[in-house]
Structures are given as structure tokens and as C-alpha cells.
Amino acid sequence: MKAVLLGVGQAGGKLTTALAEFDADAGYGAVLDALAVNTASADLEPLPLDTVLVGQSRVNGHGVGGDNELGAEVMEEDSVEVLDALASKVNADAEALFVVAGLGGGTGSGGAPVLVRELSRVYDVPVYALGVLPGRDEGEMYQVNAGRSLKTLVREADATILLDNDAWRSSGESVEGGYAAINASMAKRVGLLLAAGESVDGVAESVIDTSEVINTLRAGGMAAVGFSSAPAAEDAEENVTTVMSAVRSAVMTGMSLPNATDADAALVAIAGDPDRISRKGAEKARKWLQEETGSMQVRGGDFPLDSDRVAALVLLGGVERSRRVEKFLERARQAVRDEPEEQPDPAEAFQNDELDDLL
């Protein structure tokens, strides 16, 4: 799937950079180009991407301070500038657009839905969102922002692939180091998903192409992507269990949104040396995935790679019913309930024509 990436906000810019670099380092050529957009100039400066600073007339390059309503307003006002910068990057080869954002911050959570809507209006290719859910320790404002943003993204985007920060932060890890590791993990998952069917090593017995990825995501709503790998024997017949285990691990412990096992559609790609991939194992894994997700739409195929390992890449479409999503939405609803009531401004008591000004 040839894609153009648009990173919105600080988290979106960093994850977009990780995705573009993963694709370039692997030589897949699935990422055609990338652009980063933000209201804070300091967050754009270190990125090795083309960038657009929006909202200069409103926030003067200092960001929106977590205010996602302001983030949405700013993006609406400057959306033409973003579309103009993106126009030269979206050519006839582009098969999809990805808007990447952290859903807790002001610019990402407010601006991403606006840009998804505008891109869907301008381009005929699918427009997907890649959203990062904030962790429990990131504060109530971030939960509320993410809840509101996610509700809007699901409505506007063709599908929204989710990454749960809570699931990927290791205990004892620094915040910066933790986010770098999360970005690398997600870049591998989405990068391999985009690369499936592109020019890779060897010839696949069962090809996965762009249409199968699109059809899996066509369930709409929310999606998740998982990955797992294991050492493989040289003889494919010895790797039946290896393939099965890789697929199980990708779903049970390697999903970007853990516990998202109920899905409307699924795709599984078995990656590795074609001579090591067990067809029997792949078929058994596909049937297991069908039973596990409750979906009758389970697509499958190979992803030839020069490797002594066998890996499984799993895409689940339509995972709104997952326990993880429900828990997050309840956190967001609770954060809204916990917001303090707005106190009346004492100065308003003096806005009265019956009172004369002292001066």
C-alpha cells in the first residue's frame, strides 16, 4: 500500500518520523512522503520532515496548551495551508493517506479530525487515522481530549488504527525512552502492513495486496495491528507449530490495542523465507483467528523476507467491542464527570448599568 503520512501534533510528528524511517531503512518504498503539522514551532524543529506551522496568528508558535477545541479551530483556519503543502506529495501512486496523531494533546486531538475530514473531501483514496491513546497517568484533560477526538475520528476516517500507550510503556522506563520504544514498535507493525504486497524478497505463494488491506479496514470504526516472530527451522514441515504460535502471540500479546480480539474482519500475513513458511501452519492459524475473532472475513497471505525467523502480522478491523476500548471510554467519561464546574467570574457582578464607574 503506497501511502502518504501526515503527522499532527508532537506525538504525531514523532511517530510519523519513525514510520518514514522504518520504511526507508527497510527499502520497502511504501511510504511515498510525509509531512508534519503543529502549532508549536519547538516541536517541529527537530523533525527530519517537511513541516507546516499553523495557528501563528492565534498562538504565535507556542502551541495550544492542551486545548483541543482551540486546536480544532486553528486547524480549520489554516487547513488550506496544510493541504497546499501536502498537494505535491500526493501523486497518482498514492493508495491511502494516514493522519497520525496523539489523541491526548491539544493540537493532535483537535487538529487530526479536522484534517481527516478535509482530506476525505479533497481526495478519492481512503483516509485513515492512526491514533495514540494516552496512558492512565497522563491526566484527566488528556483522557477527555482523547475521548472527544476518538469519537470524531471514528466518524470522519475510513478507519482508525489505535495504539494504547498503557500497553507498551515498560515499568521503570524513562518517559522519553518509553515513547521512543513505543514508536519503534508501532512503526514496525504499520510499516510491515503498508509494505505487504510491495516489492520484497522472493515470490509469495499467496499474495497480499492493497485491496485486501483496504477491505479489512473497510469494516470502519476502530482497528488494531499486531506482530510477533520466532526462530524457524529450515524445513517448512517443522514450522507448523512455529507459525501457529507466532499468530497467537501477535493477537494475545502483540496487538497495538491489547485484548481487542472481537473483530468484524481480519487479515494475517506470515512473513519469512518462503521455504520455511508452513502452509499447513498458516491455514491452521487462519482458522484459529476466525474462531478467536468471531469474524467470517479472515484474509491471509505470505510476506517473503530473507530471514531465519517466521513472523506473523495481524490486522483486525472493527474492534469497537473490545474490553480495552470500553475501559478507555469509561475513563474518558469519568474524566468529564470529574471536571470542576465552571465558577462564575466575580467581575461579571459589576457589569450593571445601575452602578456608576468610580473613574
Side-chain angles (χ1 to χ4, degrees):
M1 177 184 280
K2 301 285 190 183
V4 176
L5 311 179
L6 178 58
V8 188
Q10 183 184 40
K14 289 183 177 180
L15 181 51
T16 296
T17 298
L19 275 163
E21 290 178 345
F22 174 86
D23 184 78
D25 290 344
Y28 293 142
V31 175
L32 293 176
D33 214 329
L35 180 72
V37 182
N38 209 328
T39 57
S41 57
D43 293 335
L44 291 176
E45 288 170 2
L47 299 180
L49 306 174
D50 289 339
T51 62
V52 177
L53 179 64
V54 295
Q56 295 183 66
S57 62
R58 299 283 294 272
V59 296
N60 198 30
H62 297 303
V64 295
D67 184 342
N68 67 348
E69 291 185 4
L70 178 57
E73 291 172 11
V74 162
M75 203 61 72
E76 286 200 71
E77 292 169 3
D78 292 352
S79 61
V80 172
E81 185 178 346
V82 178
L83 292 176
D84 285 347
L86 196 65
S88 62
K89 301 178 183 300
V90 184
N91 57 33
D93 293 331
E95 296 169 302
L97 303 176
F98 279 79
V99 176
V100 186
L103 302 187
T107 303
S109 67
V114 172
L115 289 177
V116 167
R117 183 192 65 201
E118 292 303 306
L119 291 172
S120 299
R121 184 176 59 81
V122 173
Y123 295 101
D124 290 330
V125 298
V127 179
Y128 300 118
L130 177 52
V132 182
L133 296 178
R136 292 179 182 86
D137 60 348
E138 293 186 50
E140 290 185 352
M141 179 186 71
Y142 291 89
Q143 311 301 322
V144 174
N145 281 352
R148 291 170 175 163
S149 181
L150 182 57
K151 181 180 179 181
T152 314
L153 275 177
V154 168
R155 183 182 70 238
E156 299 291 345
D158 287 278
T160 301
I161 300 175
L162 293 178
L163 166 65
D164 188 345
N165 264 349
D166 270 344
W168 295 98
R169 283 273 300 277
S170 300
S171 59
E173 207 168 26
S174 69
V175 172
E176 194 62 33
Y179 289 148
I182 291 170
N183 287 343
S185 296
M186 196 61 177
K188 176 184 288 186
R189 284 158 174 74
V190 178
L192 289 173
L193 179 65
L194 296 179
E198 295 297 327
S199 298
V200 290
D201 301 313
V203 178
E205 183 172 303
S206 177
V207 176
I208 290 177
D209 59 21
T210 299
S211 65
E212 293 191 273
V213 177
I214 290 175
N215 286 332
T216 303
L217 290 171
R218 190 163 285 160
M222 304 173 200
V225 58
F227 175 84
S228 181
S229 70
E234 292 186 9
D235 187 349
E237 292 182 5
E238 298 179 35
N239 291 326
V240 176
T241 302
T242 304
V243 171
M244 277 291 298
S245 296
V247 173
R248 286 176 182 268
S249 295
V251 173
M252 295 303 186
T253 63
M255 295 301 293
S256 61
L257 187 70
N259 300 323
T261 54
D262 291 334
D264 294 328
L267 179 148
V268 55
I270 307 301
D273 185 332
D275 294 332
R276 297 176 188 247
I277 296 176
S278 166
R279 308 300 161 193
K280 182 179 179 180
E283 186 57 34
K284 290 180 68 175
R286 189 171 171 178
K287 289 180 179 178
W288 173 85
L289 187 59
Q290 183 173 311
E291 294 173 0
E292 185 66 24
T293 61
S295 170
M296 298 303 292
Q297 299 182 56
V298 178
R299 300 171 177 85
D302 305 341
F303 189 161
L305 290 174
D306 182 13
S307 175
D308 60 358
R309 300 176 70 86
V310 166
L313 178 71
V314 177
L315 172 66
L316 301 181
V319 297
E320 292 87 335
R321 300 182 302 277
S322 76
R323 294 191 304 276
R324 200 77 173 196
V325 170
E326 280 302 320
K327 286 183 178 179
F328 164 73
L329 291 176
E330 179 52 38
R331 282 208 314 272
R333 288 190 289 264
Q334 184 60 48
V336 171
R337 290 193 289 267
D338 291 345
E339 283 185 323
E341 292 186 15
E342 188 173 332
Q343 297 297 317
D345 184 354
E348 291 182 0
F350 296 94
Q351 304 301 318
N352 191 317
D353 292 337
E354 296 176 3
L355 291 174
D356 292 331
D357 288 333
L358 180 62
L359 298 177

